[in-house]
Amino acid sequence: QVQLVESGGGLVQPGGSLRLSCAASGGIFLTFAMGWYRQAPGKQRELVAGISTSGIINYADFVKGRFTISRDNTKNTVYLQMNSLAPEDTAVYYCNFYGAGSAYWGQGTQVTVSS
């Protein structure tokens, strides 16, 4: 069965950086788009960044220039490098793999930006 395992969340001060990773197992994901979403308390889950199978990337306006998404198909892993973090980036971050009519989600990793 497909499993997505996230890592890299934590507590960071404003202006700091974190790198999230999401590793998938139980399948072949070359034809899957990958993405990161986040959900803050009391808010809906929102797209942060996505990367297609051909490497086309899109970012939410609120992270442009600060976050970078990348993927390593040899490791079935998607990354999110987050720089210049701000308190409003505090949320649970989820990875998502989508393809072949199926969507898979990670369990979520907490990112807290606070001094």
Side-chain angles (χ1 to χ4, degrees):
Q1 87 214 36
V2 175
Q3 186 176 14
L4 275 58
V5 179
E6 299 154 353
S7 60
L11 173 64
V12 64
Q13 292 187 341
S17 299
L18 285 174
R19 188 191 194 208
L20 306 183
S21 300
C22 174
S25 60
I28 299 174
F29 304 100
L30 288 175
T31 60
F32 280 60
M34 301 176 184
W36 288 95
Y37 290 72
R38 72 185 188 185
Q39 188 167 17
K43 295 187 177 181
Q44 289 188 329
R45 190 172 299 188
E46 59 185 356
L47 175 68
V48 175
I51 182 167
S52 73
T53 55
S54 60
I56 297 174
I57 293 172
N58 66 293
Y59 293 104
D61 287 342
F62 53 78
V63 302
K64 283 182 179 177
R66 300 189 299 128
F67 292 8
T68 303
I69 188 172
S70 61
R71 61 188 288 167
D72 185 338
N73 291 329
T74 66
K75 297 180 180 179
N76 290 331
T77 299
V78 62
Y79 304 96
L80 186 68
Q81 177 66 43
M82 305 187 294
N83 299 328
S84 301
L85 284 161
E88 52 265 35
D89 294 316
T90 295
V92 178
Y93 285 70
Y94 299 90
C95 63
N96 170 269
F97 281 35
Y98 176 79
S102 298
Y104 303 97
W105 292 91
Q107 81 284 358
T109 185
Q110 177 70 46
V111 172
T112 302
V113 185
S114 175
S115 55

